[in-house]
Amino acid sequence: NRARKLLSDHQKKSSNFALPYWDYTDLESPQKSVLPTAFYSPKDSTNSLYVKERSFTVQTIGMKPEALEIASAFVKVDMLGSNGFSKVLEEGVHGNVHDEVGNPNKDSTVMGRVPSAAQDPIFWLHHANIDRLWSCWNKNGNKNTPFPDNGKKYAFIQPDGSVKEYSVKDMQTLVDNMDYRYESYRDCSSPTLSESTLLTSNPIKLNFKKSLKVNNKKVEIPIQASSLKTNVISSTNLNLNGGKLTLSDITSHANMKGLYEVYLKSNVSNKEVFVNYISFFGFHNSSDHHSISFNRNLDASKALKALIEDGNDINNLTVVIKPDSRLTNENIEKLNQEFEIGSIDLIINTK
């Protein structure tokens, strides 16, 4: 909020002042998901933007485009709630970027931990882009819902070192009245993932309804059609915007951290195609007695298309979940955490 106010105050005085954001969601220019050069060159103490605890891959090849998918958030019309825009954006691209930038092989991963994330300068560009995506959602006609005000006052340090207290309502009013704009709203157009289409087009459903546990080992879950009829699916009758993989009731206790990778695998050819991540960013410092529970809706269209184009039968699939592939074998063995998934549903929309 201080950054927003700084931007707002300066824009009232001069139109030449701007704060940067990291536009990693521009999938037509995938090189934008590579960390901006100024943040790793030079790689020494003379560069105040360089942090050695970052992932090497984000400095070289960038982030996986599937991890930067925003359609599943943009189709939401409600801001709050367990399946609202704010929640889906936070647990999707927001958490994915934190964990992709952080180095999973270092305990001091900085961006990958809530208490230390803001110590990495790229944090501010990341959150500026999250704020821009929020503005995009508003530009699509969606309205912000006031956050519940619990009546408490929270202390914030001001630029001059003084302390000022704000309630939730105070902060909401402050943000709503700031006058600033973004250079580009190019990804504010209608998202590719159409939930309304999924509800009306007689989709094919494959699912796994039993609870399962995931830890530091690769887990494979065969999914089956929910009806007895045989569905023959090919590239000619698959609506590629309609594949959605839903992982429901993901539950765990404290100290979850990092990413787990989700794939679709053909049971015939054994080909695995990456779908997206389950990110546990924000859950590492929970109380030992506090359980977290959430759902992940993943756009599986790209993975399904890849399987079809390779001649695979997508009526016969397995969901594969495994720890972050950037982890060394030694650190995978040290990964002492476990979570449960209540059910898995793959909805394939056909024409």
Side-chain angles (χ1 to χ4, degrees):
N1 284 319
R2 184 186 297 178
R4 288 192 185 104
K5 189 174 189 308
L6 178 67
L7 182 59
S8 177
D9 290 347
H10 276 275
Q11 283 191 335
K12 290 174 182 176
K13 301 173 185 177
S14 170
S15 60
N16 295 323
F17 180 82
L19 293 174
Y21 61 88
W22 182 15
D23 189 9
Y24 43 72
T25 50
D26 187 354
L27 301 185
E28 294 182 3
S29 303
Q31 71 274 12
K32 289 186 178 180
S33 76
V34 177
L35 197 72
T37 307
F39 286 80
Y40 63 89
S41 181
K43 297 179 180 178
D44 56 43
S45 59
T46 65
N47 183 359
S48 61
L49 299 179
Y50 175 63
V51 174
K52 64 181 180 179
E53 290 86 1
R54 296 189 189 120
S55 167
F56 178 72
T57 55
V58 82
Q59 301 175 39
T60 52
I61 61 175
M63 295 178 282
K64 294 183 178 182
E66 296 88 349
L68 306 176
E69 177 270 319
I70 56 175
S72 56
F74 271 42
V75 295
K76 305 300 180 185
V77 295
D78 294 322
M79 178 181 167
L80 302 181
S82 60
N83 198 34
F85 167 78
S86 178
K87 188 80 167 174
V88 174
L89 190 73
E90 179 184 2
E91 293 175 351
V93 63
H94 165 258
N96 289 347
V97 171
H98 270 282
D99 281 322
E100 281 248 34
V101 173
N103 187 334
N105 292 297
K106 293 182 179 292
D107 290 334
S108 55
T109 180
V110 185
M111 266 289 278
R113 301 284 187 275
V114 172
S116 58
Q119 296 173 20
D120 188 332
I122 199 65
F123 169 94
W124 304 98
L125 278 73
H126 169 37
H127 275 254
N129 196 47
I130 292 296
D131 186 75
R132 185 184 67 85
L133 294 174
W134 186 355
S135 295
C136 275
W137 184 74
N138 289 146
K139 277 186 170 292
N140 286 343
N142 300 296
K143 303 296 183 182
N144 294 337
T145 303
F147 287 95
D149 192 333
N150 57 13
K152 293 182 180 179
K153 293 277 188 175
Y154 299 88
F156 290 84
I157 300 174
Q158 303 303 299
D160 63 0
S162 63
V163 176
K164 187 172 182 179
E165 292 188 335
Y166 294 91
S167 67
V168 173
K169 184 178 180 180
D170 293 336
M171 293 302 294
Q172 186 93 47
T173 301
L174 182 66
V175 171
D176 289 345
N177 288 284
M178 287 181 181
D179 181 22
Y180 66 96
R181 63 188 180 277
Y182 284 94
E183 177 186 51
S184 171
Y185 294 97
R186 48 141 199 90
D187 46 6
C188 290
S189 58
S190 299
T192 57
L193 182 66
S194 174
E195 291 197 339
S196 60
T197 301
L198 288 174
L199 293 174
T200 59
S201 60
N202 189 29
I204 295 169
K205 297 181 180 180
L206 297 94
N207 51 44
F208 181 88
K209 290 299 185 184
K210 293 182 292 186
S211 179
L212 65 124
K213 291 187 177 181
V214 183
N215 46 39
N216 64 344
K217 307 296 183 185
K218 179 167 115 172
V219 175
E220 299 194 3
I221 311 104
I223 50 178
Q224 300 175 340
S226 56
S227 65
L228 295 177
K229 68 176 184 178
T230 302
N231 297 296
V232 180
I233 311 172
S234 68
S235 57
T236 59
N237 67 4
L238 177 67
N239 182 338
L240 294 179
N241 291 332
K244 183 171 73 169
L245 183 64
T246 298
L247 310 174
S248 300
D249 298 322
I250 302 171
T251 307
S252 181
H253 293 286
N255 294 325
M256 290 301 303
K257 59 184 178 180
L259 296 168
Y260 280 78
E261 300 173 353
V262 181
Y263 296 79
L264 284 178
K265 172 186 171 183
S266 166
N267 293 334
V268 178
S269 69
N270 288 325
K271 176 174 180 169
E272 291 182 1
V273 182
F274 179 72
V275 177
N276 209 319
Y277 292 119
I278 303 172
S279 169
F280 285 97
F281 177 77
F283 299 127
H284 181 58
N285 293 283
S286 303
S287 161
D288 286 341
H289 303 290
H290 177 68
S291 295
I292 55 95
S293 183
F294 61 98
N295 302 327
R296 285 289 275 125
N297 292 308
L298 309 177
D299 186 351
S301 303
K302 187 175 180 180
L304 290 167
K305 179 181 179 182
L307 288 168
I308 287 171
E309 290 179 345
D310 208 33
N312 290 284
D313 174 14
I314 58 172
N315 297 278
N316 191 7
L317 297 175
T318 287
V319 174
V320 179
I321 302 173
K322 51 189 173 183
D324 191 339
S325 58
R326 297 173 300 166
L327 285 166
T328 63
N329 289 335
E330 179 183 4
N331 282 328
I332 287 177
E333 290 301 319
K334 292 179 180 177
L335 199 62
N336 184 25
Q337 58 187 33
E338 182 179 84
F339 65 97
E340 294 185 10
I341 300 176
S343 63
I344 298 175
D345 292 278
L346 176 63
I347 301 178
I348 306 172
N349 189 23
T350 57
K351 293 180 180 179

